[in-house]
Amino acid sequence: MPSGDAILFAQLPGQTVTDLNSHLRERLLAAIADLQLPAEAAGMVRLDPPRNRDHGDVALGAFQLAKLAKQPPPKFAAELAEKIEADDVIESAVATGPFINFKFRRAAMAQQVLTAIQTEAAPYGNAAANDQVVCIDFSSPNIAKPFHIGHMRSTVLGNALCRIHRHLGATVHGINHLGDWGMPFAKMMTAYMHFGDEAKLHESAMRHMFELYKQFEGEAQKNPDLLQEAADHFKNLESGEDNVERRMWQMLRDESLKAFQGPYSRLGVTFDHITGESFFEDKMDDAMKRVEAAGVLEESEGAQVVTLKEFGIKVPCLLRKRDGTTLYHTRDLAAAFYREREFSPTRILYIVGSEQKLHFAQLKGVLEKMKEPVANAVEHVPFGLVLSKSPEGKWEKFASRSGNAVFLDEILDQAVAKVRGVIAEKNPDLEDPDAVAEHVGVSAIVFNDLKNGRIKDVKFDWDAMLAFEGETGPYVQYACARLSSILRKVDMPVPGVESIDFALLADAERVLLTMMDFATAVQRAADQSEPSIVTNYTIALAGEIHSYLADHYVVGAESAVRDARLVLVDAARRLLTTGLGLLGIKAPERM
RNA sequence: GCGCCCGUAGCUCAGUUGGAUAGAGCAUCGCUUUCCUAAAGCGAAGGUCGCAGGUUCGAAUCCUGCCGGGCGUACCA
């Protein structure tokens, strides 16, 4: 996997310099060779952004190198800094204590970054295809339950990860591993047989099924026979025969799937494959045979299991129940084999809540015990729960059982309505305000969900969800709208980079430096499966450009300055559009 | 009980894998619009990084032990 700073920028005409950082690195390596340090020194040249950017653009802590040189770090730093002379790219190298702070020439920086952005060279545009194949198993809702706020996380995280990996050149298979099999579906079926209403189902499948879900849970408490009935229905369903259960399953599945299209299209989420658990119905026998052939299957209390003690997992992995039916594990195992055969993935990411950590540890453990190479690709990407505030003010898990689930549609509608109000107040002349409100409102919710580290629990809070100021989706989108507005107002095409005097952009150094951080942000997001790194990047860039625009006018500026700033504004808009695009959010022209 | 995760400003969170004076947003207080969208910008105030040890030139970050919260712990997914 290439590291961020190894990604090459497009070469400029007549120039051999590639990326600023790699240029600096080369100079440093040459200097180190000059100082006759051992070969391992090369690995110690780590350039990081300084904590405080007033120090410089990038910094090198010379601790390890100094040790190698058998010198006190400050002395060594001074000596090394001395060796780095200014050139076309490097403005200065200054030792302060054990650190060396480097500054790039502003004109060179502007030229490199803005040229790369304008020509859509990687990392700003899509990278050339590489040999990475990434399967992303995401959203995967239990379609017998309503699509509520809890389902949004996997959907939105997975969608962003698909886009991030594609941007980096990977072949991506976005897979919706629908929960359309197993006991939950059998329960829904049973509920429908007892309490269902066809008219209501057609009117709003999701609401009706939610009612049925609640009713079933309530009734089952009083009458445990219902659970047995559901188990029997599942057994009949899994028999493979064309029976009542199968027809009922097909009907309910079709209705739910139709209903789920609503939230998916509003969120702008698409899948490359919709292969639910039922898809693996006829592939589980082969999977079980393969487990058996590997000699790892054991019998325990009438069920078939794989023990995983040697992997430090105390709970055996259960693959077939006493009544002969299969489980979640069985289907995930069959799915792993299927994906291996069809896609030859280098990574399979499962975007599933952290409460299922054990499940995926077991899945990986079984594959490892079988000595299946695909085990190495299996990677659980866990995320935190959605918590709601109880009347006592404590944060607790959303309990859809008690019926306090919040439908995603409701949340989106509220956000859209609020945005509509803001538009009426701030921009009453806006064309097609309803479409803009829909877009900005939905984006606000998505952005909010992608802002914090995924492992953290999300505290569901209407005020935070509907906040449009500060670090929010609308804040970033507003920056895009302002930039677009400027581009419209100047009423001329954006000049090509070859005609620009980049020295005029020295006052935009903070914007330019932030632009340079894009590559590492995207790479880290992919490596760590952490879209929030990109989200926070867009906030940072929007902040810098907002701040810059406050006292740097484009329209009305002297023509050379105007042209240079125009290129900057256009680049910022492009980069924000790309960044938001990686999150599955579109940048509005107006809002 | 055991395993895993989380604990940073009043609130919600960053902190680029161990580096320099721990950063944002919200809320509070003040300022900025004859000029490209004020959903914005600038400033003030706000901290014993849960607690205690340890590792080393250096720890919010790594190790150990506590405390607090959460999740999981085979016939659900």
Side-chain angles (χ1 to χ4, degrees):
Chain A
M1 186 119 337
S3 76
D5 56 15
I7 294 168
L8 300 185
F9 284 67
Q11 288 203 350
L12 300 177
Q15 263 196 304
T16 52
V17 176
T18 53
D19 158 33
L20 299 166
N21 274 318
S22 2
H23 172 79
L24 175 56
R25 179 183 299 272
E26 275 168 38
R27 294 287 312 274
L28 276 166
L29 290 176
I32 282 166
D34 243 25
L35 290 169
Q36 318 240 314
L37 293 185
E40 60 203 281
M44 294 175 183
V45 180
R46 258 198 55 186
L47 295 167
D48 294 308
R51 191 173 285 251
N52 183 344
R53 276 233 154 123
D54 294 339
H55 288 132
D57 302 338
V58 279
L60 172 69
F63 302 94
Q64 290 173 303
L65 284 167
K67 201 170 187 178
L68 219 54
K70 300 198 174 72
Q71 287 189 31
K75 181 161 181 286
F76 177 82
E79 198 170 308
L80 184 56
E82 192 73 11
K83 290 227 165 244
I84 307 295
E85 280 166 30
D87 62 15
D88 290 351
V89 170
I90 299 164
E91 185 178 293
S92 63
V94 179
T96 41
F99 295 93
I100 311 173
N101 294 307
F102 303 95
K103 261 188 138 109
F104 296 117
R105 291 204 188 275
R106 272 37 197 154
M109 206 161 78
Q111 181 177 24
Q112 291 282 352
V113 175
L114 297 178
T115 301
I117 296 176
Q118 193 175 81
T119 58
E120 292 184 356
Y124 301 107
N126 285 324
N130 59 31
D131 57 1
Q132 294 282 310
V133 180
V134 185
C135 287
I136 303 184
D137 178 324
F138 73 109
S139 192
S140 309
N142 222 305
I143 58 175
K145 293 182 190 174
F147 201 98
H148 62 78
I149 180 70
H151 292 103
M152 191 173 75
R153 299 219 77 201
S154 172
T155 307
V156 154
L157 282 165
N159 187 42
L161 288 172
C162 285
R163 291 162 188 267
I164 288 167
H165 278 104
R166 261 189 209 115
H167 184 85
L168 291 171
T171 302
V172 174
H173 296 279
I175 305 170
N176 191 349
H177 188 67
L178 287 179
D180 59 358
W181 204 247
M183 278 302 283
F185 220 89
K187 285 184 191 173
M188 178 57 60
M189 196 184 286
T190 312
Y192 188 78
M193 287 168 173
H194 283 271
F195 327 111
D197 180 323
E198 201 175 334
K200 282 187 187 165
L201 184 74
H202 288 304
E203 194 189 307
S204 168
M206 217 179 272
R207 309 267 151 169
H208 185 51
M209 285 172 80
F210 184 50
E211 291 307 315
L212 290 177
Y213 177 77
K214 280 195 291 186
Q215 198 171 356
F216 184 89
E217 292 296 328
E219 294 287 333
Q221 293 247 317
K222 287 179 266 172
N223 177 13
D225 289 349
L226 274 176
L227 289 173
Q228 187 53 51
E229 195 185 325
D232 291 341
H233 285 315
F234 181 47
K235 197 165 180 182
N236 290 338
L237 178 64
E238 210 166 44
S239 72
E241 284 162 29
D242 184 16
N243 51 25
V244 183
E245 283 86 359
R246 178 143 305 253
R247 285 191 294 274
M248 174 78 57
W249 169 78
Q250 189 67 53
M251 191 273 285
L252 286 173
R253 185 181 187 274
D254 290 348
E255 286 296 329
S256 329
L257 211 50
K258 223 190 294 169
F260 273 74
Q261 272 317 309
Y264 283 142
S265 62
R266 273 188 103 175
L267 293 172
V269 172
T270 54
F271 301 93
D272 302 300
H273 313 275
I274 299 184
T275 44
E277 293 186 65
S278 64
F279 179 78
F280 300 98
E281 181 193 357
D282 60 356
K283 298 170 183 65
M284 285 187 283
D285 274 346
D286 283 347
M288 287 303 285
K289 276 181 199 139
R290 199 153 154 183
V291 178
E292 212 167 352
V296 301
L297 197 62
E298 296 172 36
E299 182 123 345
S300 171
E301 297 171 32
Q304 295 182 319
V305 306
V306 177
T307 58
L308 299 165
K309 285 207 184 73
E310 59 269 51
F311 298 96
I313 301 169
K314 287 184 183 142
V315 192
C317 180
L318 187 60
L319 290 174
R320 202 185 281 283
K321 292 188 264 188
R322 226 181 331 233
D323 70 0
T325 56
T326 63
L327 294 108
Y328 185 25
H329 272 123
T330 330
R331 295 184 278 279
D332 259 341
L333 203 57
F337 292 143
Y338 173 81
R339 290 167 189 172
E340 180 191 32
R341 198 179 65 234
E342 291 295 311
F343 310 126
S344 309
T346 41
R347 294 173 84 181
I348 307 177
L349 307 179
Y350 296 84
I351 322 298
V352 181
S354 58
E355 67 271 26
Q356 292 194 38
K357 265 197 148 169
L358 177 61
H359 168 81
F360 287 102
Q362 288 175 317
L363 177 66
K364 199 174 165 90
V366 170
L367 291 167
E368 269 173 28
K369 190 163 178 174
M370 291 171 70
K371 305 224 184 326
E372 293 283 351
V374 72
N376 297 320
V378 168
E379 211 175 310
H380 180 210
V381 177
F383 56 84
L385 300 161
V386 180
L387 306 177
S388 61
K389 209 167 200 170
S390 70
E392 300 83 50
K394 273 190 69 177
W395 288 106
E396 53 190 33
K397 192 177 175 176
F398 252 108
S400 52
R401 198 157 304 172
S402 57
N404 74 345
V406 180
F407 287 87
L408 182 63
D409 268 341
E410 248 170 73
I411 294 163
L412 297 181
D413 289 345
Q414 293 245 12
V416 170
K418 186 163 175 203
V419 171
R420 189 64 189 83
V422 176
I423 290 173
E425 183 196 329
K426 309 209 185 229
N427 198 355
D429 301 330
L430 185 67
E431 250 177 73
D432 206 355
D434 291 325
V436 175
E438 164 72 18
H439 171 217
V440 173
V442 171
S443 301
I445 301 299
V446 171
F447 194 93
N448 180 259
D449 210 27
L450 289 174
K451 191 171 64 135
N452 295 340
R454 60 174 159 73
I455 205 67
K456 298 243 172 165
D457 289 342
V458 171
K459 289 154 187 160
F460 181 83
D461 176 2
W462 279 109
D463 291 340
M465 197 82 74
L466 300 180
F468 299 149
E469 283 163 24
E471 298 172 336
T472 64
Y475 174 83
V476 179
Q477 292 190 311
Y478 179 65
C480 296
R482 280 184 75 185
L483 294 165
S484 299
S485 170
I486 292 170
L487 294 169
R488 280 194 301 273
K489 286 262 158 68
V490 290
D491 198 25
M492 61 179 273
V494 176
V497 278
E498 62 288 341
S499 66
I500 295 304
D501 177 2
F502 288 103
L504 295 172
L505 290 174
D507 54 12
E509 58 178 3
R510 292 179 62 98
V511 180
L512 296 167
L513 284 164
T514 306
M515 286 175 161
M516 286 170 65
D517 291 339
F518 183 68
T520 21
V522 179
Q523 190 61 53
R524 285 175 57 225
D527 291 347
Q528 300 171 27
S529 298
E530 187 60 273
S532 68
I533 295 172
V534 173
T535 316
N536 285 302
Y537 177 82
T538 64
I539 292 171
L541 182 57
E544 290 302 344
I545 198 69
H546 263 140
S547 184
Y548 180 78
L549 291 178
D551 43 26
H552 296 86
Y553 278 77
V554 179
V555 177
E558 184 268 319
S559 69
V561 174
R562 178 203 58 202
D563 286 358
R565 288 183 183 170
L566 209 45
V567 169
L568 181 77
V569 162
D570 177 61
R573 201 193 55 84
R574 282 169 185 265
L575 193 44
L576 284 175
T577 305
T578 304
L580 287 175
L582 294 178
L583 304 173
I585 296 173
K586 286 203 189 94
E589 292 279 324
R590 295 181 167 86
M591 65 185 269

